[in-house]
Amino acid sequence: IEQPTFPKITEMCVKMIRRVNDEEGIKKLVNETFQKLWFTPTLHHDKEAMTRKILNITDVVAACRDTGYDWFEQLLQNLLKSEEDASYKPVKKACTQLVDNLVEHILKYEESLSDSDNKGVNSGRLVACITTLFLFSKIRPQLMVKHAMTMQPYLTTKCSTQNDFMVICNVAKILELVVPLMEHPSETFLATIEEDLMKLIIKYGMTVVQHCVSCLGAVVNKVTQNYKFVWACFNRYYGALSKLKNQHQEDPNSTILTANKPALLRSLFTVGALCRHFDFDQEDFKGNSKVNIKDKVLELLMYFTKHSDEEVQTKAIIGLGFAFIQHPSLMFEQEVKTLYNSILSDKNCSVNLKIQVLKNLQTYLQEEDTRMQQADRDWKKVAKQEDLKEMGDISSGMSSSIMQLYLKQVLEAFFHNQSSVRHFALNVIALTLNQGLIHPVQCVPYLIAMGTDPEPSMRNKADQQLVEIDKKYAGFIHMKAVAGMKMSYQVQQAINTCPKDPVRGFRHDESSSALCSHLYSMIRGNRQHRRAFLISLLNLFDDTAKTEVNMLLYIADNLACFPYQTQEEPLFIMHHIDITLSVSGSNLLQSFKESMVKDKKKERKPSSEEETESDSNSGSGSESEEEASKPRRLRKRVDSDSDSDEENDINSVMKCLPENSAPLIEFANVSQGILLLLMLKQHLKNLCGFSDSKIQKYSPSESAKVYDKAINRKTGVHFHPKQTLDFLRSDMANSKITEEVKRSIVKQYLDFKLLMEHLDPDEEEEDGEVSASTNARNKAITSLLGGGSPKNNAAETEDDESDGEDRGGGTSGVRRR
C-alpha cells in the first residue's frame, strides 16, 4: 500500500493469497490484508490508485494461471459473506468499482491496440483482465449484468494463439452466468450470441466447443427456448456419426474412415457435449417422435468405444461421460459397467483410457455437487413455506449407488505406476468422501497407502482426507492402520521403477522420514491404539506370519524412522522384539534341527556349539574377540584347539544337511525377519542412546509418566540392514544353492544357536559370568548382523552403549587375554 511500485508485490500477493484456507488465525490475516489492499472502495477521482489496483489484481491472476484460482473465489466469498448482514457493505462496493473499471480498462486497452500496429494481438494482460472478470462473475454474476452487451463481441475474436482461445472461453463462461440474469435482453443480442456460439462450436477445438455448448445451454434453456436451432445442430452431428458407424460396420479398414477421422472425433465429442446440456428426449426437441434419443446416443457412443484406434475410443468415452451427466441412470447399464470396470481393472489397458474414465466420474461428481449446492440455495429461499417431506434427496441416492458400483476399481487404481492415474483416482475418492456417498472405513487403508505417494500434493490430499475421517469417526484409522501399511507397501511396489532394488520404507531425502510417519503421528496420541498398532506390526515378523521378506524390510524401515517423541515408544518396541525373538528364534532352531538327517546327527558338546566364526568366514582378529567373549570356564579349552573345533562344528552340521535344500532356503528366508528385528533393536538403541540395563528394566505395565521424557535423538544414525538387502538383491530365495551359500547359512544357524543360549539376560551365575554372558550375546549379534561393518550402525557401538557393569565385565575379559 505504501510502496505501490515495489517490483515483488505480485509475488508477495501470490504467496499470501494461497494461505487463504489455512488455520483460522492465518485465514483472518489474509482476509484482512486483501480487504485493505484490493477490496476497500477507492475515491472516484483517484484514477491512478484504481489503475494500480487493477494491474495488481490482474498480475496476480495471471501469475496463478497454472495453479488454479480457487484461492480468489475463496477470498471473495469469505469477504462478501462477512458483511452479508451489515448495513454498510464496503467489499460489495469495491467489487462493483473493480468490475466497472476492469471493463473500462479492457476497452481503453483495445483502443490503444487498434491505434498501434499490433492489431488483433491478444496479450496476456487482456486474458488476465477477462479471467478476473470471470472470477467476479462466478461469485457475484449480478456485477456483470450491465456489461454483458460489451462482452458479446469478443466471441467473434479471430483465433490464432492460445491467448485468443482463453479470451473466447472466458467470455463464454461469463455470458453463461450473466445472460440468464438480464431483464428483457434484446432479441438481436440473444440471436447474435446464439449464432456466434454455433459458429465457434462448428469451427474450433474441444475446449472452445465445451464452453460454448455450456453457454448455449444456459441461453437456450433459460432465456430463448430456441430448441429448433439446437436440434438442427444435434442432428447434423448425430447423423454424421450414424453414417460413419454404418461405413465402419461394412468395412472396418475402409480408407474413407481414415480420411473422415477428424470429423468422427469432432462428432463424438460434440454429440456428447450437446447431450450434457440438453435433454433431447423432451418434446420441445423431438416433437411427437417415439424414438428414445438417449438410448440411441448410448448405443452409438458404445459402438465407437470398441474401435481399434485409441483416439477414437477416448473421444467416445468423453462423449459418454458428458451424456451420463444429463442421464446418470445410464451408468447402471450392464455394458457401461463392463466397459468402465474393465478399463479400470485391466493392467494392460492404455493409461489415457483409464484417466478418461476417472475424469468422467470426477466431472459427474463435481456436477452433482454443484447441482446439490444450487438446490440447497433454492431450498433456503423457500424453506419457510415448504414442507420438509417434499425435499427430494433422490440425486444423492443415485450418485451414492453409482459410486458403490465403481468404488473398488477406482480404489485399485491407486496401485498404478503412472502418477496421473493415481491423481485422478484420488480426486474421485476425495469428492465421494466429501459428499458422504460411501462409508469412509473402506477407503481408509487406501488413503493410508496414498499418503506414501512420492508427490507431495497427493500425499497431502490423502492425509487431509484421513484427518477429516478421524475427526468424524474416531478409531477408524487405528482399526485399518496395519492393512493400510501393507497396502502402502503394494503402492510402493507398483511405483518402484527398478524391480531389482528392494522397496524401502523411508523417504530418500535429508529427512529420512518414514513413509507412514503421518499415520503414526495420528495414532501415537492414544497409548492403547499406539501399542496395539506396534504389536500388530511386530507380529508380522513372527515365523508363523509368513510375511514376505521385502515387506518386512519395508515395515522395519518405517519402525526405524517413525517420529517417536517419548522414550516409552522405542522401549516398548524393543521389549516386544525380545519377546518375539525368544519365541521365533526357538521355533526356527527347532525346525532346522528337525530337518537335519537323523542318523548322522550326534549330540555335540555345548562348547563346540558356541564357537561361531569359521575359518572361511572370518579373520583371526574377530576369532580372538569371539573367544574372549566366552564364559571364562569355557575359554581355556577353546584357546587350545579353536580352529579345528570350529571347522568340525560347521563341517559336522554340513554333513547332517539333507539332500533337499528346501529347509535351508526356508531357514535363510525366515531368519531374515529375526535379523531385521535385531537390527531394528540395535538401531533404536543407538538412535536414542539407551543402555542395556535401561532396556532390561523397562516394563510396559509401569505408569506412563515414568517414560514420558522426550527422546534425545542422535544424528547421523541410519538404518541399513545389510544382510537383508544382500539377501533380497541376490534373490537367494530363488537362486541355486552353492557350497559357499550352504556354509554361510550353517554359520548363521550356529550364530543363532549361540544367541538363543545367551538371550535371557538374567542367567543365575556369578556377577562376572552374567556380564560375560551378555557380552557373548552381543558378540553373537555382531556376528549375525554381518560383523562390525562400518555401514552397520548396529554392532560397533554395542559395548560403548552398554551399562557400566556390563562394560566392565566384558572388557576385562579382553584385557586378560
Side-chain angles (χ1 to χ4, degrees):
I1 293 173
E2 287 176 14
Q3 298 189 355
T5 52
F6 183 61
K8 295 248 181 208
I9 284 184
T10 306
E11 201 182 318
M12 284 154 60
C13 287
V14 169
K15 287 210 162 86
M16 281 192 292
I17 207 162
R18 286 204 182 132
R19 305 290 296 272
V20 74
N21 280 330
D22 251 348
E23 66 249 33
E24 283 308 311
I26 295 176
K27 195 170 167 179
K28 189 164 180 260
L29 215 74
V30 172
N31 288 343
E32 284 168 4
T33 307
F34 284 100
Q35 178 156 4
K36 245 187 218 147
L37 208 58
W38 291 351
F39 297 108
T40 305
T42 313
L43 298 170
H44 282 297
H45 57 268
D46 196 349
K47 285 286 177 205
E48 195 186 329
M50 196 68 223
T51 309
R52 254 202 327 265
K53 206 189 272 190
I54 281 174
L55 291 176
N56 181 216
I57 294 177
T58 49
D59 281 341
V60 172
V61 167
C64 293
R65 181 168 164 175
D66 299 330
T67 51
Y69 305 112
D70 299 351
W71 48 265
F72 189 90
E73 295 166 30
Q74 195 61 53
L75 178 71
L76 206 51
Q77 265 168 335
N78 291 350
L79 292 173
L80 287 165
K81 200 171 182 183
S82 65
E83 59 171 36
E84 255 174 11
D85 305 324
S87 52
Y88 174 58
K89 302 189 173 177
V91 177
K92 194 175 173 191
K93 188 176 176 188
C95 287
T96 312
Q97 275 186 351
L98 284 168
V99 167
D100 296 351
N101 279 284
L102 269 166
V103 174
E104 201 178 307
H105 187 78
I106 290 172
L107 294 173
K108 275 189 190 154
Y109 183 77
E110 289 281 291
E111 275 171 33
S112 68
L113 273 186
S114 59
D115 296 342
S116 71
D117 300 336
N118 298 357
K119 203 168 179 192
V121 176
N122 279 329
S123 74
R125 169 74 61 201
L126 179 67
V127 175
C129 287
I130 290 187
T131 308
T132 311
L133 282 175
F134 163 62
L135 294 172
F136 276 113
S137 314
K138 203 168 169 185
I139 305 300
R140 278 281 188 279
Q142 296 83 353
L143 297 171
M144 278 296 292
V145 168
K146 60 180 175 185
H147 302 296
M149 311 277 279
T150 319
M151 300 316 294
Q152 180 264 321
Y154 286 94
L155 287 176
T156 56
T157 309
K158 291 213 168 21
C159 286
S160 52
T161 66
Q162 182 61 34
N163 282 340
D164 300 334
F165 287 115
M166 296 281 289
V167 168
I168 284 191
C169 291
N170 279 316
V171 170
K173 290 194 279 189
I174 292 171
L175 291 172
E176 177 183 344
L177 294 162
V178 174
V179 173
L181 300 177
M182 293 171 73
E183 285 183 24
H184 315 301
S186 76
E187 295 293 324
T188 45
F189 166 68
L190 293 171
T192 318
I193 287 187
E194 287 180 343
E195 275 165 35
D196 290 347
L197 289 170
M198 194 56 77
K199 282 177 193 157
L200 292 167
I201 290 169
I202 290 166
K203 191 172 176 188
Y204 291 115
M206 281 204 307
T207 320
V208 176
V209 170
Q210 207 171 333
H211 292 304
C212 291
V213 171
S214 188
C215 183
L216 190 64
V219 174
V220 172
N221 288 330
K222 294 176 184 171
V223 189
T224 63
Q225 267 90 43
N226 187 358
Y227 297 121
K228 287 199 170 60
F229 184 63
V230 180
W231 181 241
C233 173
F234 171 73
N235 273 321
R236 169 180 177 172
Y237 286 110
Y238 178 80
L241 265 188
S242 300
K243 195 171 163 193
L244 287 164
K245 175 190 166 185
N246 295 336
Q247 284 174 347
H248 186 261
Q249 277 175 324
E250 284 164 22
D251 177 11
N253 304 321
S254 142
T255 47
I256 307 170
L257 282 172
T258 322
N260 284 338
K261 186 179 163 185
L264 171 60
L265 296 176
R266 172 174 287 279
S267 303
L268 287 167
F269 187 84
T270 314
V271 164
L274 287 165
C275 285
R276 173 179 178 172
H277 296 283
F278 300 98
D279 182 359
F280 290 111
D281 280 315
Q282 288 178 352
E283 260 183 47
D284 300 320
F285 288 105
K286 63 176 186 179
N288 300 327
S289 163
K290 291 281 178 281
V291 180
N292 189 331
I293 303 288
K294 69 169 190 243
D295 292 350
K296 288 277 179 202
V297 170
L298 178 69
E299 186 190 328
L300 257 185
L301 293 173
M302 285 301 293
Y303 177 80
F304 285 105
T305 58
K306 300 174 184 69
H307 199 280
S308 55
D309 186 331
E310 191 189 303
E311 214 180 334
V312 175
Q313 283 180 298
T314 309
K315 282 288 187 293
I317 290 173
I318 293 175
L320 280 175
F322 286 153
F324 295 158
I325 290 171
Q326 178 73 255
H327 304 288
S329 58
L330 293 175
M331 279 196 260
F332 295 116
E333 294 287 333
Q334 191 52 50
E335 52 182 340
V336 175
K337 282 196 286 196
T338 311
L339 173 76
Y340 269 23
N341 285 339
S342 63
I343 287 175
L344 289 175
S345 53
D346 182 4
K347 292 269 185 293
N348 307 319
C349 187
S350 118
V351 172
N352 290 339
L353 295 182
K354 276 185 199 294
I355 290 177
Q356 196 48 57
V357 168
L358 290 166
K359 273 186 183 169
N360 281 1
L361 290 169
Q362 179 184 321
T363 316
Y364 164 68
L365 289 169
Q366 284 165 337
E367 283 290 310
E368 273 304 303
D369 198 32
T370 317
R371 218 180 278 183
M372 280 156 74
Q373 283 176 2
Q374 187 55 49
D376 204 34
R377 282 195 290 273
D378 297 345
W379 167 251
K380 276 183 183 153
K381 287 177 196 165
V382 296
K384 291 190 176 74
Q385 299 94 40
E386 293 288 339
D387 178 5
L388 260 178
K389 285 179 195 158
E390 303 292 316
M391 195 177 158
D393 198 18
I394 299 150
S395 63
S396 68
M398 169 87 80
S399 38
S400 177
S401 315
I402 287 169
M403 283 323 295
Q404 301 285 359
L405 279 183
Y406 301 108
L407 181 69
K408 188 164 186 335
Q409 281 72 15
V410 174
L411 288 169
E412 294 293 326
F414 283 177
F415 303 126
H416 200 278
N417 55 3
Q418 292 281 341
S419 69
S420 44
V421 176
R422 300 197 302 276
H423 170 79
F424 283 108
L426 185 58
N427 282 355
V428 172
I429 295 302
L431 281 164
T432 310
L433 288 169
N434 292 341
Q435 291 178 33
L437 301 178
I438 52 168
H439 197 291
V441 75
Q442 50 203 333
C443 299
V444 171
Y446 291 92
L447 289 168
I448 292 171
M450 277 307 277
T452 65
D453 197 282
E455 294 193 20
S457 59
M458 298 219 264
R459 283 206 296 272
N460 297 342
K461 190 163 190 170
D463 290 349
Q464 189 54 46
Q465 292 296 325
L466 285 174
V467 171
E468 292 297 319
I469 291 173
D470 197 39
K471 272 186 207 159
K472 288 183 194 161
Y473 310 92
F476 272 13
I477 309 296
H478 157 248
M479 190 161 80
K480 293 287 183 185
V482 179
M485 285 276 290
K486 288 180 178 172
M487 219 169 254
S488 68
Y489 168 68
Q490 290 173 289
V491 167
Q492 291 307 312
Q493 259 185 323
I495 296 169
N496 189 12
T497 43
C498 179
K500 280 188 180 163
D501 276 349
V503 174
R504 300 301 303 267
F506 56 83
R507 294 215 167 84
H508 299 280
D509 54 19
E510 64 285 350
S511 71
S512 290
S513 57
L515 289 179
C516 295
S517 56
H518 180 260
L519 169 69
Y520 182 76
S521 57
M522 286 180 77
I523 290 176
R524 71 164 293 284
N526 180 324
R527 188 180 183 202
Q528 196 183 348
H529 285 178
R530 177 181 74 225
R531 288 182 159 190
F533 172 59
L534 292 172
I535 288 177
S536 305
L537 291 183
L538 291 171
N539 284 346
L540 295 172
F541 291 84
D542 193 311
D543 55 332
T544 54
K546 299 274 186 279
T547 317
E548 61 169 302
V549 176
N550 197 345
M551 188 191 272
L552 291 179
L553 170 67
Y554 175 78
I555 289 170
D557 279 340
N558 272 289
L559 285 166
C561 303
F562 273 156
Y564 304 116
Q565 289 179 13
T566 61
Q567 292 185 356
E568 204 272 340
E569 297 163 56
L571 282 170
F572 180 80
I573 293 175
M574 290 149 122
H575 176 79
H576 274 276
I577 286 178
D578 283 344
I579 296 173
T580 311
L581 284 180
S582 61
V583 178
S584 290
S586 318
N587 294 351
L588 189 61
L589 292 179
Q590 190 55 38
S591 57
F592 190 80
K593 275 182 196 163
E594 283 168 8
S595 70
M596 287 200 275
V597 182
K598 291 277 185 291
D599 57 346
K600 293 183 187 172
K601 192 175 144 193
K602 57 181 188 292
E603 281 300 314
R604 289 184 304 282
K605 289 175 187 167
S607 59
S608 67
E609 283 169 359
E610 284 172 352
E611 260 319 38
T612 60
E613 300 279 348
S614 75
D615 282 349
S616 60
N617 278 6
S618 69
S620 57
S622 55
E623 260 167 44
S624 58
E625 273 180 35
E626 277 302 315
E627 291 154 26
S629 71
K630 294 290 164 288
R632 286 180 212 128
R633 58 199 146 96
L634 300 175
R635 236 179 251 141
K636 286 195 186 75
R637 246 212 58 201
V638 166
D639 287 348
S640 59
D641 57 0
S642 63
D643 288 3
S644 58
D645 228 18
E646 265 177 358
E647 266 313 310
N648 289 342
D649 202 26
I650 286 195
N651 289 338
S652 57
V653 177
M654 289 288 282
K655 280 177 199 154
C656 297
L657 290 180
E659 295 297 312
N660 175 10
S661 57
L664 267 184
I665 292 283
E666 175 67 10
F667 174 82
N669 214 349
V670 176
S671 63
Q672 294 305 321
I674 293 180
L675 281 173
L676 278 168
L677 286 182
L678 280 169
M679 267 308 280
L680 177 60
K681 184 178 171 186
Q682 290 299 108
H683 170 78
L684 292 173
K685 188 172 161 183
N686 298 339
L687 183 71
C688 309
F690 292 141
S691 65
D692 275 344
S693 67
K694 174 137 190 161
I695 299 167
Q696 280 162 29
K697 282 175 193 159
Y698 169 78
S699 158
S701 53
E702 279 197 55
S703 79
K705 287 189 180 133
V706 182
Y707 296 105
D708 251 359
K709 292 181 192 141
I711 290 177
N712 187 11
R713 283 170 185 267
K714 304 266 171 68
T715 49
V717 179
H718 297 295
F719 184 62
H720 184 80
K722 183 172 175 297
Q723 285 202 330
T724 306
L725 290 169
D726 293 346
F727 176 84
L728 286 166
R729 285 191 184 120
S730 64
D731 194 21
M732 194 189 278
N734 303 318
S735 53
K736 284 196 78 171
I737 283 238
T738 59
E739 252 337 89
E740 199 181 329
V741 174
K742 274 187 186 176
R743 283 193 89 80
S744 65
I745 294 178
V746 169
K747 178 188 167 312
Q748 205 181 26
Y749 161 70
L750 292 169
D751 280 344
F752 262 129
K753 207 162 173 6
L754 176 71
L755 175 71
M756 293 313 294
E757 277 158 15
H758 292 286
L759 194 60
D760 184 7
D762 305 316
E763 287 177 347
E764 293 175 18
E765 297 175 16
E766 307 160 32
D767 287 351
E769 297 300 305
V770 174
S771 61
S773 157
T774 304
N775 236 334
R777 180 173 84 250
N778 290 341
K779 292 301 173 192
I781 291 175
T782 305
S783 175
L784 272 173
L785 300 182
S789 110
K791 280 186 188 167
N792 246 334
N793 58 310
E796 67 271 35
T797 52
E798 181 75 51
D799 285 333
D800 321 336
E801 300 284 332
S802 60
D803 234 26
E805 182 202 350
D806 294 358
R807 191 163 54 232
T811 46
S812 67
V814 177
R815 276 196 213 103
R816 202 168 300 153
R817 276 211 75 208

